[in-house]
């Protein structure tokens, strides 16, 4: 992460695995240990207008993009990506076993020069942690 975009086709949104996807990705990303808590945003969007594969209405998709800040080496990015993707696949396997489903996952690194922030979540989170 810390920015995750999750898209899924509307024909699977009520499936139990898909309902858990946002939390699973949030947890998996934080478990990598490389992302600051205050930088995390996970979005879940249902796509209602789409054509998948041969256009059969049973076809479905999940597309996950993690957009992360610049500066981590490839080994670190790859280890984090592998971990998150493993979790996505583990969660979605039963759904994948019972219907046509295309899962795609990618990690994108944001520009070091063109990535702007106005974010006070780090301070709020630290204050809350300190007062516990
Ligand atoms: O740079 C990014 O947007 C992603 C990132 C951290 C983000 C923050 O800490 C923030 O928005 O304050 C990262 O660690 O990859």
């Amino acid at each position: 992460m810390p920015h995750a975009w999750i898209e899924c086709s509307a024909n699977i949104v009520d499936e139990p695995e898909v309902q858990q996807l946002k939390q699973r990705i949030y947890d998996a990303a934080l478990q990598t240990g490389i992302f600051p808590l205050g930088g995390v945003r996970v979005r879940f969007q249902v796509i209602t207008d789409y054509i998948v594969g041969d256009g059969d209405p049973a076809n479905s998709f999940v597309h996950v993009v993690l957009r992360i800040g610049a500066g981590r080496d490839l080994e670190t990015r790859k280890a984090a990506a592998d971990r998150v993707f493993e979790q996505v696949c583990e969660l979605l396997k039963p759904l994948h076993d019972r219907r046509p489903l295309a899962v795609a996952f990618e990690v994108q690194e944001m520009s070091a020069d063109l990535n702007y922030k106005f974010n006070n979540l780090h301070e709020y989170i630290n204050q809350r942690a300190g007062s516990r």
Side-chain angles (χ1 to χ4, degrees):
M1 235 148 21
H3 307 265
W5 275 259
I6 306 167
E7 291 180 346
C8 81
S9 51
N11 59 351
I12 53 171
V13 67
D14 293 330
E15 298 286 353
E17 297 90 343
V18 175
Q19 289 289 313
Q20 296 170 54
L21 196 52
K22 180 179 63 193
Q23 189 68 49
R24 182 68 71 102
I25 288 174
Y26 175 87
D27 292 342
L30 286 179
Q31 282 161 10
T32 66
I34 67 166
F35 300 123
L37 193 52
V40 172
R41 297 89 156 141
V42 184
R43 307 148 175 82
F44 181 83
Q45 287 186 309
V46 181
I47 307 299
T48 55
D49 193 359
Y50 57 87
I51 303 173
V52 185
D54 63 0
D56 189 293
N59 292 349
S60 60
F61 73 90
V62 168
H63 189 107
V64 181
V65 177
L66 302 187
R67 303 194 70 224
I68 69 173
R72 299 175 178 97
D73 61 30
L74 178 59
E75 190 183 352
T76 303
R77 282 179 281 145
K78 178 91 170 85
D82 286 352
R83 179 168 190 148
V84 176
F85 187 55
E86 278 165 20
Q87 288 292 311
V88 169
C89 292
E90 182 187 289
L91 175 65
L92 295 180
K93 178 143 190 336
L95 183 62
H96 190 277
D97 287 347
R98 67 179 184 267
R99 64 174 302 151
L101 169 66
V103 180
F105 172 78
E106 64 177 306
V107 175
Q108 300 174 357
E109 195 177 39
M110 289 183 272
S111 161
D113 300 316
L114 299 171
N115 181 0
Y116 301 86
K117 297 281 179 285
F118 186 52
N119 178 2
N120 63 15
L121 283 175
H122 301 282
E123 290 77 21
Y124 273 97
I125 290 168
N126 284 340
Q127 278 170 19
R128 287 182 199 126
S131 64
R132 277 188 206 119

